Amino acid sequence: GIIEIGKIIVVERLGSAKGLALPGGKQEPGEFLSETARREFLEETGMTLNIRHILGTFAEPGRDSRGDYISTVFIGTATGALIDELGKTKVHLYDLATFAATRHLFAFDHALIIEKYLALR
């Protein structure tokens, strides 16, 4: 696969909470968080996630307009081809060089998560 330095995979949410977002979803009973991350990433992007690190856990009150959610964010590399989740998302290879100008397009607290990622890189 091709490594795109300075780029991340984001999904453009087409449903109720519109905007750009990091791929993610809910943990199934009996599932390890790493399994959830890989499964949700595959479902939302069509790509396989190879986890390298955990960026952190985000649980600040009001971080998600849909309710009280706790997110553990994983960092990794992806292989495969980008596939949209029909009717739900469009998948984009997002250039982090455009972040300052486009941070307002992110849903929830995902711009803050990306800022933390950029600060640690």
Side-chain angles (χ1 to χ4, degrees):
I2 297 171
I3 294 175
E4 296 274 353
I5 306 235
K7 296 191 179 179
I8 61 172
I9 295 169
V10 300
V11 294
E12 180 182 352
R13 298 176 52 86
L14 305 174
S16 57
K18 291 188 182 352
L20 297 179
L22 299 167
K26 293 188 173 116
Q27 185 178 24
E28 299 291 337
E31 191 175 53
F32 289 103
L33 278 178
S34 58
E35 293 171 324
T36 302
R38 284 191 291 269
R39 176 181 54 76
E40 286 287 347
F41 194 83
L42 180 62
E43 287 174 6
E44 291 192 12
T45 70
M47 299 189 77
T48 301
L49 175 64
N50 179 18
I51 295 171
R52 302 271 192 218
H53 309 284
I54 294 176
L55 178 63
T57 297
F58 301 82
E60 291 72 19
R63 63 176 292 271
D64 190 321
S65 58
R66 301 168 301 171
D68 292 330
Y69 290 101
I70 297 171
S71 294
T72 298
V73 179
F74 292 86
I75 298 171
T77 56
T79 55
L82 297 176
I83 300 172
D84 298 336
E85 195 174 7
L86 196 59
K88 292 184 176 184
T89 64
K90 286 187 172 288
V91 186
H92 301 281
L93 190 58
Y94 176 82
D95 188 344
L96 288 167
T98 68
F99 180 68
T102 58
R103 72 178 312 283
H104 65 282
L105 299 175
F106 282 88
F108 320 119
D109 63 345
H110 291 197
L112 294 173
I113 293 169
I114 293 170
E115 283 175 354
K116 180 173 181 176
Y117 168 71
L118 291 171
L120 295 175
R121 254 182 7 154

